[in-house]
């Protein structure tokens, strides 16, 4: 059974680790940043549905943001960004999650920079992992429920410091989602 805890999750105080350090970690929940600058009204709902099939999700308010690499000489389309909290129905490794998210991007027609055909890159879908919750106590007597395990939230070092819209989305989800704080030891 999950216990809700009313504590302010202080993102700045969380450990920051590289994805390479965490590949085999058992992940129970993630905070994601979604982004699209091409047909976002089509691709965001599709990915949100795919994510919901993996567990329980909660969404931040979507933000419309200019591409920070745009210039007057080379204008670029705005991005629609949204943060997602996903509590997984069953734990998986970070490596498995990363592969799954790359597959979801590909199913939306995502082109990587190496194969982009124009100077203005159309990003149908970008899924970035900002924070992960990992199991820290593998000696629990409960073998059927990972919600009884001790866990901790970690920041993906390659994504920190967060962009303004990511920080706003994470803060919004923390403030409205007490489930984020379940079993989190601060």
């Amino acid at each position: 059974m999950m216990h809700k805890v009313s504590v302010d999750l202080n993102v700045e105080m969380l450990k920051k680790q590289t994805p390479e350090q965490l590949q085999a970690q058992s992940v129970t929940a993630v905070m994601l940043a979604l982004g699209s600058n091409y047909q976002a009204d089509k691709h965001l709902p599709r990915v949100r549905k795919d994510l919901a099939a993996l567990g329980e999700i909660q969404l931040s308010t979507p933000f419309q943001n200019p591409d920070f690499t745009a210039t007057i000489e080379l204008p670029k389309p705005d991005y629609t960004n949204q943060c997602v909290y996903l509590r997984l129905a069953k734990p998986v490794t970070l490596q498995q999650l990363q592969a799954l998210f790359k597959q979801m991007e590909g199913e939306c027609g995502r082109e990587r920079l190496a194969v982009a055909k124009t100077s203005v890159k159309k990003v149908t879908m970008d899924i970035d992992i900002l924070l992960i919750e990992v199991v820290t106590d593998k000696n629990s007597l409960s073998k059927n429920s990972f919600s009884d395990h001790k866990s901790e939230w970690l920041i993906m070092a390659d994504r920190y410091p967060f962009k303004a819209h990511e920080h706003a989305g994470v803060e919004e989800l923390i403030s409205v989602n007490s489930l984020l704080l379940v079993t989190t030891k601060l």
Side-chain angles (χ1 to χ4, degrees), residues 8-76:
D8 185 25
L9 181 62
N10 187 345
V11 172
E12 285 75 23
M13 298 302 291
L14 296 178
K15 283 190 235 173
K16 294 150 190 77
Q17 293 194 286
T18 66
E20 295 76 22
Q21 294 173 300
L22 300 168
Q23 289 298 296
Q25 285 285 341
S26 184
V27 178
T28 55
V30 292
M31 277 279 222
L32 306 172
L34 307 181
S36 176
N37 73 357
Y38 182 73
Q39 297 181 346
D41 57 335
K42 172 183 169 185
H43 299 298
L44 283 169
R46 175 188 177 149
V47 166
R48 289 189 300 250
K49 181 180 176 192
D50 290 346
L51 292 171
L54 300 175
E56 177 187 342
I57 68 170
Q58 290 200 359
L59 307 169
S60 73
T61 304
F63 297 93
Q64 188 90 17
N65 297 302
D67 184 324
F68 70 92
T69 65
T71 62
I72 293 172
E73 298 80 29
L74 186 60
K76 296 182 180 181

Side-chain angles (χ1 to χ4, degrees), residues 83-98:
C83 286
V84 177
Y85 164 71
L86 167 61
R87 169 133 326 259
L88 296 162
K90 65 178 195 162
V92 296
T93 67
L94 178 60
Q95 185 175 28
Q96 291 168 317
L97 272 180
Q98 290 170 320

Side-chain angles (χ1 to χ4, degrees), residues 72-165:
I72 293 172
E73 298 80 29
L74 186 60
K76 296 182 180 181
D78 289 348
Y79 274 84
T80 301
N81 297 104
Q82 186 170 39
C83 286
V84 177
Y85 164 71
L86 167 61
R87 169 133 326 259
L88 296 162
K90 65 178 195 162
V92 296
T93 67
L94 178 60
Q95 185 175 28
Q96 291 168 317
L97 272 180
Q98 290 170 320
L100 185 58
F101 295 155
K102 289 269 186 257
Q103 179 184 340
M104 287 180 187
E105 290 173 344
E107 290 169 357
C108 290
R110 170 78 189 261
E111 286 186 356
R112 298 284 161 200
L113 190 57
V115 296
K117 297 173 181 81
T118 65
S119 59
V120 177
K121 188 167 83 168
K122 292 179 180 175
V123 179
T124 55
M125 181 50 54
D126 184 39
I127 304 171
D128 293 316
I129 302 171
L130 303 177
L131 294 148
I132 64 170
E133 185 185 50
V134 296
V135 173
T136 58
D137 175 18
K138 297 187 183 199
N139 297 323
S140 173
L141 296 175
S142 172
K143 296 188 186 333
N144 297 328
S145 173
F146 69 86
S147 65
D148 292 333
H149 291 288
K150 289 182 185 172
S151 61
E152 74 175 319
W153 281 94
L154 302 170
I155 293 177
M156 301 300 284
D158 62 333
R159 296 296 309 167
Y160 196 79
F162 299 145
K163 295 174 183 167
H165 63 273

